[in-house]
Structures are given as C-alpha cells and as structure tokens.
Amino acid sequence: MPATTAREIPEARADLAAWAADRGRTGMANWLHCFMSPEGRASYDDLLPPGITTTQALAARTAAGLRASELFYVTTDMTALAHHAATSLTDFEMRPEDLPAPVGMLLFEDPPIRNEAAGNQPVRLVTWGPWLGHLAIDYWSGTREYLDQVDAAQAEFNANTTPADSKAWLREKFAHVKPGQMADIHPPHGFTYLRTTLIEPGTPDLTDTPEADVALLRLIQATWLLMGQSLATSERVAADRASRRRIQRLGPDYGTEVRLIRLRRARTERGTDPAERPGTREYQHRWVVRGHWKNQYFPSRNANRPIWISPYIAGPENAPLIGGEKVFVLAR
C-alpha cells in the first residue's frame, strides 16, 4: 500500500470521517469498543453525560472534527527539522494562536517517531480540536506501517505461544464483544487509531506523563510552532478531479484543498552576524551558532513564546572557521 500523498489527503479525510460517523458494526465506535483496552474504553466516561460511552464520544467528535478540519501535509525535510527541534523544546503556555488551525488534520510524509507507549507504532497522522474543555490530540498510525510491524513480530509470537494459549488469549481479550459485533481489524481508510491525549489550557503539567508521550507531544508542538515561522512555506494543493467528485458524493461540505508545508530554501539574513552590528568588536574568525529555541516576547499575547533560531555561520566572511562541530543543513 503506497503512502498517502498530499493530493490524496482530502479523499482520505472524507473516508475517515465516513468511518467515524458510521454507527454500525463497521464504524469507528464499534471498532474502538472491540479493540480498545478495558481502561481505554472507560477513559473519559467520568467527563461525559450519562449514557454516553467513551467510544461513542470519541467517534462522534472525530466525525464532527474532520468535517471542520483544515488539512496539512508536512514534507520529509520539514519533519526532520521538527524532530530535531523537538528534542530541546521545553514547557510553554499553549494558546489557540499557536495552532495552525483550531481544528486540523496533519499528515507526515514520513513517520516522525515510533512511540513506545503506543506499541512502538509509527505515528503518521495527527488530528486535533477542542473537546471537554481541553485540546484533544489524536494519534494515528498508517495501516501499512502497522501491518509491517505485525509481520515482524509474528514469528516471535508464534515461537513463544502455543495454539491453545493463543486461543485462550483471544477469548479473554474479546470476551466483551457480542456474537456478530466484531469489527473489521483494519478499516479501509488506511489508518489505525492509537489514542487521544487531552491537553489542559495553559502550560500543561507533564510531570507524571510517560517519557515517550512527552516526546511525541513535543514533536507535534515543535511542528506547529515551526509552521508559523518564516522558515516554512505553505502552498495550497487541490485533490485531482476524480477525487473531488467522490468527495462531493461523500459530503458536499468537505473541502478539497490541503496546505503543503515545506522547509524554505536556506538563505543568509543580515543582522544575524554579530560582526555586522554597529558598535561591536571586530571578529577575526567565524563560528557555528547551533539551532536553538529562543523565548521571544509577543505584545499581542503579553507573554513569551518559543521561536526556532536556525543554525548559521557567524563572523566575517572568508575568516577561518573555529570549532569542530559538524553542521547538517536542510535545504529545499
């Protein structure tokens, strides 16, 4: 199964939304009921109205959110930069203006991380939107990557499990599923739901959050912040004609464009070199300024927000370069 391209995202969104809205055996709510753990099936019950289950609410919110989502596609180079920048990103107060859209769906050209907390499955798709007074972030794996992982683990599983033990495990795992209620293991839209994370308003308290979950959240936050800076470019790409016709049949209110996010071609900007500033000493060498986050004050929010300072070479042109660090430049 080839990876989804930017032009295919609108149709993938429509298929995913149709699956989320399906209340029957083949829909998302029943899929979650069948395959989520007992803890997962009840994870948000205490926040929901009586009679509404976590699986029903997740499916309904996903269907509604996808209809309103702005679509984004992040290229490999931009993903690599986000992955690098995320390792040094620290806690900050997230605000609505830090998001590329209030409700969105973002697909990575390449999986950005294999999250141990989600069974080491590569996260390829992220959806988000407001829910229960929080920002809800949904993580999805590509079914293609998921199947590759299952195939890799199958031999070890078979070697360590007898057929009788395997049958007993399956009976226990799916004891809550009624006859005739079993959902399809792999829905046809090409993505596998992993889980939802709720982010509280303000600066989230991640003290008790597993390290793998924090790393994934940092990657998403870094991606959003970088998308809002001048080092990223954005262009609108439309689905092809056949896809647009099918999308209109699935839902006439669906959009058919996606914002393609690329890393801007590297360039030299005046003012970043201390030697160019008036009133400073005269430098006799060049040096590497590593990429880093800087807390910059924004009057519009009356608070600081991290911005990414890209790596650059400082000092007079043609002067000797000191320091032994290697510099990796991403330029497209």
Side-chain angles (χ1 to χ4, degrees):
M1 181 187 300
T4 304
T5 65
R7 292 186 182 277
E8 293 169 335
I9 294 178
E11 188 171 3
R13 183 262 297 273
D15 287 335
L16 191 58
W19 177 68
D22 183 353
R23 298 183 180 181
R25 184 189 65 81
T26 59
M28 181 178 181
N30 189 52
W31 187 93
L32 294 173
H33 173 76
C34 291
F35 294 107
M36 288 183 81
S37 66
E39 297 78 15
R41 294 196 298 271
S43 53
Y44 302 118
D45 285 359
D46 58 335
L47 301 176
L48 296 168
I52 304 296
T53 66
T54 291
T55 56
Q56 292 169 338
L58 280 172
R61 184 190 63 80
T62 300
L66 285 169
R67 287 186 174 276
S69 288
E70 186 162 355
L71 307 182
F72 302 88
Y73 185 88
V74 178
T75 61
T76 300
D77 289 339
M78 195 67 197
T79 300
L81 175 60
H83 196 125
H84 168 68
T87 60
S88 57
L89 183 62
T90 57
D91 291 342
F92 69 98
E93 181 185 356
M94 289 186 61
R95 297 189 180 182
E97 60 265 28
D98 297 328
L99 306 178
V103 183
M105 171 177 168
L106 184 151
L107 187 73
F108 292 95
E109 184 175 20
D110 285 327
I113 193 171
R114 289 186 174 271
N115 185 25
E116 297 174 2
N120 203 33
Q121 295 168 356
V123 173
R124 179 173 288 275
L125 177 70
V126 178
T127 56
W128 69 89
W131 192 45
L132 303 176
H134 294 67
L135 172 66
I137 305 176
D138 311 304
Y139 301 113
W140 306 75
S141 174
T143 299
R144 177 175 61 87
E145 290 90 10
Y146 176 81
L147 292 176
D148 289 345
Q149 179 176 298
V150 169
D151 290 342
Q154 191 68 43
E156 181 180 354
F157 178 82
N158 291 338
N160 298 321
T161 307
T162 66
D165 289 340
S166 179
K167 290 180 179 178
W169 178 82
L170 287 171
R171 281 195 297 267
E172 180 180 357
K173 181 176 178 62
F174 298 109
H176 64 287
V177 181
K178 298 177 182 178
Q181 189 185 15
M182 189 66 189
D184 296 332
I185 296 178
H186 304 299
H189 50 70
F191 299 99
T192 299
Y193 171 85
L194 299 178
R195 74 193 182 289
T196 296
T197 298
L198 294 185
I199 304 299
E200 60 194 18
T203 304
D205 182 6
L206 304 176
T207 306
D208 298 324
T209 305
E211 182 179 348
D213 285 359
V214 174
L216 186 52
L217 176 61
R218 290 280 185 258
L219 177 68
I220 303 306
Q221 290 176 320
T223 302
W224 287 340
L225 290 172
L226 292 171
M227 286 168 61
Q229 294 189 215
S230 59
L231 54 81
T233 66
S234 173
E235 66 176 281
R236 293 193 175 272
V237 177
D240 59 37
R241 180 179 298 179
S243 293
R244 292 198 300 270
R245 289 176 177 173
R246 182 168 182 271
I247 291 168
Q248 291 301 305
R249 290 196 297 269
L250 290 172
D253 56 336
Y254 286 129
T256 58
E257 288 189 340
V258 57
R259 285 174 58 184
L260 178 61
I261 309 299
R262 289 194 176 103
L263 185 65
R264 188 183 299 276
R265 183 178 296 276
R267 63 183 183 187
T268 302
E269 297 199 20
R270 296 188 61 83
T272 59
D273 185 346
E276 296 178 356
R277 301 172 189 165
T280 61
R281 58 175 293 185
E282 183 178 349
Y283 291 90
Q284 304 299 320
H285 56 263
R286 293 179 298 149
W287 65 96
V288 176
V289 178
R290 301 182 64 184
H292 60 281
W293 292 101
K294 173 185 176 182
N295 277 327
Q296 174 138 345
Y297 179 77
F298 287 82
S300 59
R301 62 193 284 154
N302 193 31
N304 291 334
R305 187 186 71 181
I307 62 169
W308 178 253
I309 307 299
S310 298
Y312 63 92
I313 305 295
E317 189 176 358
N318 299 324
L321 179 66
I322 64 172
E325 295 186 82
K326 294 182 179 179
V327 181
F328 296 91
V329 178
L330 296 173
R332 283 289 183 274

